[in-house]
Amino acid sequence: MTAIAEGIVAFELVPEGDTALLPFTAGAHIDVYTPSGHVRQYSLVNDESERHRYIVAVQWDAAGRGGSASMHNLGVGAVLHVGQPRNTFELVRDDVPTVLLAGGIGITPLIAMAHVLLRRGRPFELHYAVRADNRVAFRDFLDRGGDGMACAIYRDDDPPEWRFDAGSLAARIKDGARVYMCGPSGFMDAVSRACASRPDIDLRLERFAAPEPAGPGPEFTVSLARRGLSVPVPAGATILETLRGEGIEPDVSCEQGVCGTCLTTVLEGQIDHRDYFLSAHDHKAGDRMLICVSRGKPGTTLVLDL
């Protein structure tokens, strides 16, 4: 355990005994079963070429439900259970200009991507916005990035002309660049709006928390094709909650429409997508949904491959 910034601790996780760690790719995360009993998703920040350890960084969240606080209270040598790496934020390995854009603790998946780009000798930009200088994590890594990494750090307490400005940055991004972004919702929304005027930019993002949920939505029906079961999903209830009421426990993790664990194939029906995991293209295809937050259109029936 190493404190790497104010309120942020990095954890080096190694396997017990001869157990081998599963490989991962930059942008991946793991489920961590925290001592508080909550399951949290943390990005892996070390180089994907490493096979002997996972490194995650956890920011203490004063407004959280106890997961981060319990992690910060761990001691060296503590035993944690973790899930296998999953990657919904893949780094594309091509020669397109690359920009890594982070707000606060959103720097974590981008550090793993930076490792890969530096190792491949691919020049890139990294822009990192934080509240204050003592909140800059991975400072040693950022300082030694070398000529291949053009790194800019913006602090809220900097003079106004040096602070992060989404519009100014969006205007400076190279034509046809691919931008990877992670950070708080307000930060990501501001950048997304600024980049809306740059259709040449391929903007890829990962959220670590969902915005406030939409309203509960009217009743609809869900039909489980493999079980031959149809049940109404009442207004104010989710598909997940309804299935649990029937004694069915689908795989699920964040329950915020962010992580993709409960992604389910839809065989028929109209989906009211409410997740932050699938792309706009995926939503339009209408063949998959996250059953923790998304719904069926009012009064219709969704047929799921469950």
Side-chain angles (χ1 to χ4, degrees), residues 116-130:
V116 174
L117 292 166
L118 288 171
R119 185 156 39 79
R120 293 182 61 222
R122 287 286 308 145
F124 64 98
E125 298 177 25
L126 190 154
H127 299 267
Y128 182 18
V130 295

Side-chain angles (χ1 to χ4, degrees), residues 208-222:
F208 47 77
E212 287 297 315
E219 179 176 311
F220 62 99
T221 298
V222 64

